[in-house]
Amino acid sequence: MTGDPLTEPILVTGGYDHTIRVWQPYTSQCVRTMQHVDSQVNSLDISPKRNMVAACGYQHIRLYDLVSNYPIVNFEGVMKNVTRVGFQEDGKWMFTGGEDGKVRIWDMSSPNPACKRIFDCQSPVNAVCLLPNQVELLMAHQGGGIYLWDVKSDQHDHLLPEVECSIQDVAVSPNGAYMAAINNKGSCFIWMLTSWSGPPGQEIQLTRSDAKLKIQAHEKYGLRCKFSPDSSLLVTCSGDSTARIYSTDTWTLQAELRIDRYWVWDAAFNNDSKYLFTASSDSLVRLWRIDTKTVEREYAGHLKAITALAFQDEPVRNTTDTTGTGLSSTH
């Protein structure tokens, strides 16, 4: 593999062709293809140490070593579709959610990770998101609600923003100020978050959410929502062939990124929040420059729809940097 996955930006994509591809984002070169046999890829996440990729699909959760082409861990005993996977910031544990209604916490401290905790949402889980405090999980389900679960205290709460719909994704801004969720009708809901801080010795309370507004983000099926690293932007993805970017200051539309006829399944901002990757069902990943709404690069190689991507950037470099390794310095 050319380049160093531990220090350089890394882009990982997966989808319906049962492969996971690793790219050099600044050259659009595919540097590795890994087989994800027996299943499509529903979700991907890169480990905090950047040495592994977690992938999930139908009855499968696998950990891949970024130095080899093979899964190093196969997680056993998971039924139905596994829809989301992610890591705690230190890599001590991993979380997954799926259509069996269960959200699982996997202890990553041993060579054979085991499921240590399970939360039953009693409805197929579409998305799971870890709050910046690293102890609370948001879990969006097809019953139209969102559970908030404190993994340490086991306290939980339930939000039901709109009846007779399915919440497809949920996200929290990195600064911990906002929560967003998108449903299958294209509606995006925004909440203000406040963490509880009481006198020392009192029982810790769950993060509080206050409904702020509802945005009709898309005319069709909503798929994903994600905040930018600087918390200034929110992107929503949809079956209407667009990714739409909203300012978190005014919640007004800042940019619409449109492709032709295909679903936009997933998206990820780069480190300085100036660029956006999108994954779509035309088997392409695109790198967009947000301010000009133009495609800067295309990543071609997948044979079917791309439904998941994960990106980790290096620290933002000075624009006078001449190494050519950062996304900000190559356009």
Side-chain angles (χ1 to χ4, degrees), residues 31-43:
V31 293
R32 169 160 287 118
T33 301
M34 301 177 286
Q35 301 303 312
H36 190 261
V37 295
D38 304 325
S39 169
Q40 79 280 3
V41 179
N42 292 328
S43 177

Side-chain angles (χ1 to χ4, degrees), residues 181-219:
I182 194 163
N183 69 14
N184 59 343
K185 298 178 181 178
S187 300
C188 184
F189 302 89
I190 308 296
W191 291 263
M192 299 283 292
L193 297 182
T194 50
S195 57
W196 185 87
S197 56
Q202 280 202 12
E203 185 181 0
I204 300 298
Q205 302 292 315
L206 290 168
T207 294
R208 179 178 167 184
S209 57
D210 296 303
K212 183 172 175 61
L213 77 158
K214 173 184 173 183
I215 302 168
Q216 193 57 45
H218 297 275
E219 296 76 38

Side-chain angles (χ1 to χ4, degrees), residues 310-328:
F311 176 69
Q312 281 204 15
D313 211 341
E314 61 181 354
V316 177
R317 289 182 181 233
N318 182 311
T319 53
T320 59
D321 174 25
T322 58
T323 62
T325 55
L327 282 174
S328 304

Side-chain angles (χ1 to χ4, degrees), residues 150-289:
D150 186 308
V151 176
K152 281 191 174 179
S153 70
D154 212 31
Q155 295 181 84
H156 69 272
D157 197 4
H158 193 222
L159 296 170
L160 196 68
E162 190 171 87
V163 296
E164 297 181 355
C165 70
S166 171
I167 302 294
Q168 298 303 114
D169 199 12
V170 62
V172 174
S173 59
N175 64 6
Y178 303 111
M179 176 175 112
I182 194 163
N183 69 14
N184 59 343
K185 298 178 181 178
S187 300
C188 184
F189 302 89
I190 308 296
W191 291 263
M192 299 283 292
L193 297 182
T194 50
S195 57
W196 185 87
S197 56
Q202 280 202 12
E203 185 181 0
I204 300 298
Q205 302 292 315
L206 290 168
T207 294
R208 179 178 167 184
S209 57
D210 296 303
K212 183 172 175 61
L213 77 158
K214 173 184 173 183
I215 302 168
Q216 193 57 45
H218 297 275
E219 296 76 38
K220 294 183 180 178
Y221 210 87
L223 293 167
R224 286 289 172 95
C225 57
K226 283 186 182 177
F227 286 93
S228 61
D230 64 4
S231 301
S232 70
L233 301 171
L234 171 72
V235 64
T236 60
C237 303
S238 169
D240 67 3
S241 304
T242 68
R244 290 180 176 157
I245 298 171
Y246 294 85
S247 161
T248 58
D249 284 339
T250 60
W251 301 108
T252 54
L253 184 64
Q254 297 295 296
E256 180 184 272
L257 311 178
R258 180 176 289 276
I259 62 172
D260 205 22
R261 299 193 309 277
Y262 295 95
W263 286 29
V264 181
W265 280 93
D266 202 354
F269 290 92
N270 82 314
N271 207 34
D272 64 10
S273 307
K274 290 182 166 64
Y275 296 88
L276 184 79
F277 295 94
T278 59
S280 46
S281 53
D282 59 356
S283 73
L284 288 176
V285 170
R286 293 170 174 87
L287 176 64
W288 302 79
R289 180 169 169 165

Side-chain angles (χ1 to χ4, degrees), residues 4 28 42 66 125 128 131 144 190 197 223 277 286 294 329:
D4 183 355
S28 63
N42 292 328
L66 278 171
V125 174
V128 186
L131 268 66
I190 308 296
S197 56
L223 293 167
F277 295 94
R286 293 170 174 87
T294 54
S329 64

